[in-house]
């Protein structure tokens, strides 16, 4: 015979966390409606992108349970080392534009962030209306490593169609250097984004939320884009070289052949990574970039 607990269980609804600002949340219910919600207790640390079970109690929505996460997207945080930004994200869009420019080493870092977070990186050659052969040649190096790229011009809607198509149902984070055109591209992809952010801070009654809010915006084609103040200028968190190499797929491919399991790939004899650099199968630029980043993350060079 059903007891009182069964009655409570039956009111639980699956929901998607589409905004988080501190402990306050917005959840999207199966009927497409979006409601303000709070976690049932302090132990439930909901992230934007979480699939949850929520129920309505006296008019308020309460999150009872977080479904297991496929992955958590982290960014560097001065205080805690690394900080979770969103759950169940799968794609990192790396916007690199000839104006103001973006070095190959900076692209290496963004790609490493993607690889280390388990995200599929997609390189976006921004400001496609500005031709720059040298810049395109720089990006071609990454295509040769197996990374896909797309050209986008924010004010040419046709140029965004392949991106929308590629994003499909993906949940993506957009990053890139200051001035690369992230805001412009974001607004071109999600015309009502700014409006949603301001209506959210009005609904919660606190303007400060606009600087701490993480939002999930749905694209026309079905994909999702994460909007979070901290991810636009994302950096890697401190980690040892043995972990960093997972961010460099061309180096990682040789790592198993190093003589020592804990090889730092810097000075050890029998290092398969350095041998591959000498043989020309790993580019010396990529190897130097890895060493430089390893030193910075180990605190031996300024970040
Ligand atoms: N030619 C051209 N200019 C663009 C394009 N997209 C953006 N811009 C210009 O590039 C400049 C920077 O664009 P933003 O969108 O503010 O760049 P951002 O990456 O958000 O910059 P931050 O807020 O500093 O991180 C602006 O002057 C834009 O008008 C584009 O596709 N083509
Ligand atoms: Zn090695």
């Amino acid at each position: 015979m059903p007891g009182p607990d069964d009655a409570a269980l039956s009111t639980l609804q699956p929901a998607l966390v589409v905004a988080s600002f501190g402990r306050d949340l917005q959840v999207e219910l199966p009927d497409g409606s979006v409601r303000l919600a709070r976690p049932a207790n302090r132990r439930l640390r909901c992230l934007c992108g979480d699939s949850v079970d929520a129920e309505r109690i006296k008019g308020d929505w309460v999150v009872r349970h977080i479904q297991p996460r496929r992955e958590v997207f982290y960014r560097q945080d001065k205080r805690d080392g690394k900080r979770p930004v969103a759950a169940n994200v799968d794609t990192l869009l790396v916007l690199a534009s000839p104006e103001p420019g973006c070095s190959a080493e900076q692209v290496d870092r963004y790609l490493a962030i993607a690889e280390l977070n388990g995200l599929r990186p997609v390189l976006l050659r921004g400001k496609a209306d500005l031709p720059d052969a040298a810049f395109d040649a720089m990006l071609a190096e990454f295509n040769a490593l197996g990374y896909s790229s797309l050209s986008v011009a924010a004010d040419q809607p046709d140029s965004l169609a392949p991106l929308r198509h590629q994003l499909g149902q993906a949940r993506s984070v957009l990053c890139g250097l200051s001035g690369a055109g992230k805001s412009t591209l974001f607004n071109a992809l999600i015309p009502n984004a700014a409006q949603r952010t301001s209506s959210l801070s009005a609904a919660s009654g606190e303007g400060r939320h606009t600087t701490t809010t993480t939002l999930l915006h749905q694209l026309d084609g079905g994909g999702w884009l994460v909007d979070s103040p901290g991810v636009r200028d994302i950096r890697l968190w401190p980690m040892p070289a043995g972990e960093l190499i997972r961010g460099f797929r061309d180096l990682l491919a040789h790592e198993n052949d190093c003589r020592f399991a804990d090889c730092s790939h810097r000075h050890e004899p029998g290092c398969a990574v350095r041998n591959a650099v000498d043989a020309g199968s790993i580019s010396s630029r990529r190897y130097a970039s890895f060493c430089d980043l390893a030193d910075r993350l180990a605190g031996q060079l300024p970040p």
Side-chain angles (χ1 to χ4, degrees), residues 258 263-265 271-273:
C258 292
C263 186
S264 71
H265 320 296
C271 172
V273 171

Coordinates of all heavy atoms in Angstrom, one line a residue, residues 258 263-265 271-273, ligand 2:
C258 N 58.1 6.2 -22.9 CA 59.2 6.8 -22.1 C 59.8 5.7 -21.2 O 59.0 4.8 -20.7 CB 58.8 8.0 -21.2 SG 58.4 9.4 -22.2
C263 N 58.4 10.0 -16.0 CA 59.2 10.9 -16.8 C 58.6 12.3 -16.8 O 57.4 12.5 -17.0 CB 59.3 10.3 -18.2 SG 60.4 11.2 -19.3
S264 N 59.5 13.3 -16.6 CA 59.0 14.7 -16.7 C 59.1 15.2 -18.2 O 58.8 16.3 -18.5 CB 59.7 15.6 -15.8 OG 61.1 15.8 -16.2
H265 N 59.7 14.4 -19.0 CA 59.9 14.7 -20.4 C 60.8 15.9 -20.6 O 60.7 16.7 -21.6 CB 58.6 14.9 -21.2 CG 57.5 14.0 -20.7 ND1 57.6 12.6 -20.9 CD2 56.4 14.1 -20.0 CE1 56.6 12.0 -20.4 NE2 55.8 12.9 -19.8
C271 N 63.6 9.3 -23.0 CA 62.3 10.0 -23.1 C 61.8 10.0 -24.5 O 62.4 10.5 -25.4 CB 62.4 11.5 -22.6 SG 60.9 12.4 -22.9
A272 N 60.7 9.2 -24.7 CA 60.1 9.1 -26.0 C 59.6 10.4 -26.6 O 59.5 10.6 -27.8 CB 59.0 8.0 -26.0
V273 N 59.1 11.3 -25.7 CA 58.6 12.5 -26.1 C 59.7 13.4 -26.8 O 59.6 13.9 -27.9 CB 57.9 13.3 -25.0 CG1 57.6 14.7 -25.4 CG2 56.7 12.5 -24.5
Ligands
LIG2 ZN1 59.4 11.4 -21.3

